[in-house]
Amino acid sequence: MEKKRKKKHIKHVKHMKKKELKRKKNSRLSKAQLKIKRRRARRRIQIMGRVAVAFLVLGAVGGGAFAIIWNLPEVKLNRELNAGDEYTQEQSYDQAVQAYGNALELDSTSVKAYRCMAGAYLGMQDGSHAKQVLYEGWENTQDESLLEYYCTVILNEAVDEINGGMTNLETLDKVESVLEQGLLRGEALDIMGSAYRRLMEQYKGDGTAVDFAGYEEAMSRLFALYQKEQTEEIGAMAAEHGYLDVGELTVPAEHVDAYLDILQQANEIQPLDARSDLIACLQKEKEIQEVFAGIFQEFDAGNYEAAKEFIVTDTYKGFRDAFIAQTMEYWTGETYIPVSREYVKLKQDEGKWTFSFPEFSENEATAGVITVWGVDMTDNDVLRTYISYEPAMQNGAYYPHVQYVISYMYSNLQKKNGFLYDMNYHFETRTWTEEGMTTHMVGDWGGPYQWEKTY
């Protein structure tokens, strides 16, 4: 009896030591590791329970029946799905994807397998594969919940880009792709509105360095979407963003036509007084460029004689008179008004727009600048007419800087035996160097009493 009691005591002591070792081992594990360990233990218990039930069935109907039940497609499918769920809970996403993939091999129409596999990919921050799985799932099952999940993933990506300050044209593509599916329309329109507002902030900046290429592409997409959808919400977006509402705006010459087209399309959707005024302003700018295009070509080629006919035209004298009387519409300037071809400067004052061109000193890369002289100077009540031209800098150097001035005036001409007052042309070449300026003047230029003087 004593021997039996002693043996029982030794067994109890061993059990307690084993339990203590297990406790110490667990105390060294993190909470996350303990959580995973408990899940796996529960899983083993579940599996053992299933095996026990299977053995009971085996005992009742025989081993062959057990094998048939264990290998039923439904049982295999649930086994893989349950395994995937366990791996997902443990954040073992690679194994979860494998398990759900096994499930889909068993049943390619399992909506749960597609959803859960996509969730596992998202857990790995792999949105690309998540979207691929969901879209393939929708194609295979035509289950709308998978397509909606697919759209949700896309919209979440767009929101992340907007919130992260990384909005771009691809963000618009993502939202538009959801609109094309016809799901989550309200959410998609809200997100698209936010995306366009962020993009416009990026494009317009302070108005002096607008990303017109990006702006034009974004607006082209928006107008195309409006033409396709014809909805009030998208029309309102196009009307809102089809106008850069800034105090000053610099538009490169190669983007004037495109910006004017954007303004006109937006105004057709929803008229706006300030936008209408800007349309008229830019149309006037284009008219001016057309008037001066031919004389620019002549001056660029060194043919200054062409100015003789140009400055006596009614159009040119009309510009001169309007600046002197301060009645010129949209085009601003005082006394010496530059015309150049690289870009136009726009300015807004309480919804009213005006334009001007940069002077030679403002643009080192200019191909040449013509200046209209709005000078109120008369001889015997005959108003003088002036124009000047500054060709492009040579090798990017300001000096020597040359300006050619052509004038038509009523002046005193010296004949051999006296003086004659008559209309005649003067051609003046002004040359600036670091030391100063020299002028070479030709009076009665091309006439019978031509004279020259340098000073």
Side-chain angles (χ1 to χ4, degrees):
M1 189 73 177
E2 181 63 26
K3 188 176 180 180
K4 191 174 181 180
R5 189 168 55 252
K6 190 174 181 181
K7 188 176 181 181
K8 188 175 181 181
H9 175 70
I10 292 170
K11 187 176 180 181
H12 175 72
V13 169
K14 286 182 179 180
H15 173 73
M16 293 303 292
K17 284 183 178 180
K18 187 175 181 181
K19 191 173 182 180
E20 179 63 19
L21 285 171
K22 185 176 181 181
R23 186 189 66 77
K24 288 180 179 180
K25 184 178 179 181
N26 286 341
S27 67
R28 290 193 295 268
L29 296 175
S30 67
K31 289 183 178 180
Q33 289 172 321
L34 282 172
K35 191 174 182 181
I36 291 172
K37 187 175 180 181
R38 292 188 188 112
R39 284 177 180 166
R40 286 176 175 169
R42 286 197 300 271
R43 189 177 172 198
R44 283 195 295 271
I45 292 170
Q46 290 172 351
I47 292 172
M48 290 173 65
R50 292 170 187 161
V51 170
V53 171
F55 274 115
L56 287 174
V57 173
L58 177 63
V61 299
F66 169 73
I68 292 171
I69 293 171
W70 184 255
N71 289 293
L72 282 173
E74 293 84 354
V75 174
K76 282 185 173 182
L77 176 63
N78 287 330
R79 197 159 61 237
E80 296 295 345
L81 291 173
N82 290 335
D85 293 345
E86 287 288 334
Y87 287 130
T88 299
Q89 289 177 6
E90 295 170 4
Q91 298 184 1
S92 300
Y93 297 119
D94 286 329
Q95 292 168 291
V97 166
Q98 182 63 48
Y100 294 129
N102 293 339
L104 288 172
E105 288 180 5
L106 294 167
D107 182 3
S108 63
T109 64
S110 173
V111 172
K112 179 181 178 181
Y114 286 116
R115 290 184 66 87
C116 293
M117 182 184 281
Y121 275 124
L122 291 174
M124 291 189 285
Q125 306 299 313
D126 187 351
S128 178
H129 278 99
K131 289 184 291 185
Q132 181 181 339
V133 166
L134 289 168
Y135 199 77
E136 287 178 358
W138 174 72
E139 287 183 319
N140 291 336
T141 67
Q142 292 299 298
D143 186 279
E144 194 169 282
S145 70
L146 292 175
L147 185 59
E148 187 170 310
Y149 192 179
Y150 167 79
C151 292
T152 300
V153 173
I154 293 175
L155 291 181
N156 284 339
E157 288 180 350
V159 170
D160 288 342
E161 290 171 2
I162 294 169
N163 291 338
M166 298 181 293
T167 311
N168 53 43
L169 295 176
E170 290 182 2
T171 308
L172 302 180
D173 289 338
K174 290 175 181 177
V175 183
E176 188 171 344
S177 72
V178 173
L179 287 174
E180 289 173 353
Q181 299 299 336
L183 297 173
L184 305 175
R185 186 172 184 81
E187 294 87 341
L189 287 172
D190 287 343
I191 294 168
M192 178 167 278
S194 297
Y196 266 102
R197 281 189 289 274
R198 292 293 179 88
L199 273 180
M200 295 308 154
E201 289 173 6
Q202 295 173 26
Y203 291 146
K204 74 180 181 181
D206 61 359
T208 59
V210 175
D211 177 6
F212 275 99
Y215 174 66
E216 290 160 13
E217 175 65 22
M219 289 307 302
S220 175
R221 294 181 183 209
L222 188 52
F223 285 133
L225 183 62
Y226 175 67
Q227 290 299 320
K228 182 170 64 177
E229 298 268 340
Q230 290 291 319
T231 62
E232 184 177 339
E233 298 94 334
I234 297 174
M237 284 185 216
E240 175 187 355
H241 300 301
Y243 173 68
L244 297 173
D245 190 6
V246 291
E248 296 183 6
L249 185 62
T250 299
V251 186
E254 62 269 25
H255 293 288
V256 169
D257 285 342
Y259 186 40
L260 182 56
D261 184 58
I262 288 171
L263 295 169
Q264 290 170 330
Q265 287 191 68
N267 233 30
E268 288 176 4
I269 297 171
Q270 182 179 321
L272 182 68
D273 288 344
R275 181 163 49 217
S276 298
D277 195 72
L278 180 53
I279 290 170
C281 180
L282 283 176
Q283 287 173 335
K284 181 71 174 182
E285 187 273 341
K286 284 173 59 63
E287 175 191 322
I288 299 302
Q289 289 289 4
E290 290 173 4
V291 168
F292 284 88
I295 196 64
F296 260 122
Q297 290 181 349
E298 298 292 349
F299 284 168
D300 289 343
N303 179 21
Y304 301 110
E305 290 273 353
K308 289 181 177 180
E309 292 184 8
F310 182 74
I311 63 175
V312 296
T313 60
D314 290 340
T315 299
Y316 183 80
K317 290 190 292 183
F319 293 156
R320 175 203 63 187
D321 295 345
F323 279 113
I324 291 173
Q326 297 183 352
T327 57
M328 176 63 75
E329 285 190 308
Y330 299 109
W331 188 10
T332 61
E334 295 182 5
T335 309
Y336 307 104
I337 303 94
V339 184
S340 54
R341 295 160 285 182
E342 289 72 38
Y343 60 88
V344 59
K345 301 186 297 181
L346 300 170
K347 189 173 182 179
Q348 178 187 191
D349 183 12
E350 296 183 354
K352 297 297 181 181
W353 286 90
T354 57
F355 73 88
S356 62
F357 301 103
E359 298 178 0
F360 188 87
S361 59
E362 292 181 73
N363 182 15
E364 294 181 356
T366 184
V369 175
I370 289 175
T371 301
V372 177
W373 291 36
V375 178
D376 186 6
M377 185 175 291
T378 60
D379 300 291
N380 289 344
D381 296 327
V382 178
L383 188 60
R384 293 185 182 184
T385 302
Y386 291 87
I387 194 171
S388 63
Y389 175 71
E390 295 164 277
M393 292 183 190
Q394 298 299 312
N395 301 319
Y398 185 82
Y399 295 112
H401 177 64
V402 180
Q403 182 184 39
Y404 302 100
V405 182
I406 300 99
S407 57
Y408 186 58
M409 65 180 70
Y410 189 79
S411 66
N412 187 10
L413 302 176
Q414 186 173 2
K415 298 170 62 177
K416 288 183 180 180
N417 299 320
F419 293 92
L420 171 70
Y421 278 93
D422 201 357
M423 297 300 297
N424 68 103
Y425 291 97
H426 284 209
F427 182 66
E428 183 180 355
T429 303
R430 299 177 180 179
T431 304
W432 284 267
T433 64
E434 295 181 1
E435 289 74 29
M437 183 190 76
T438 59
T439 299
H440 181 73
M441 174 72 77
V442 180
D444 192 25
W445 180 35
Y449 307 108
Q450 179 172 307
W451 56 267
E452 297 185 32
K453 183 178 181 181
T454 300
Y455 54 91

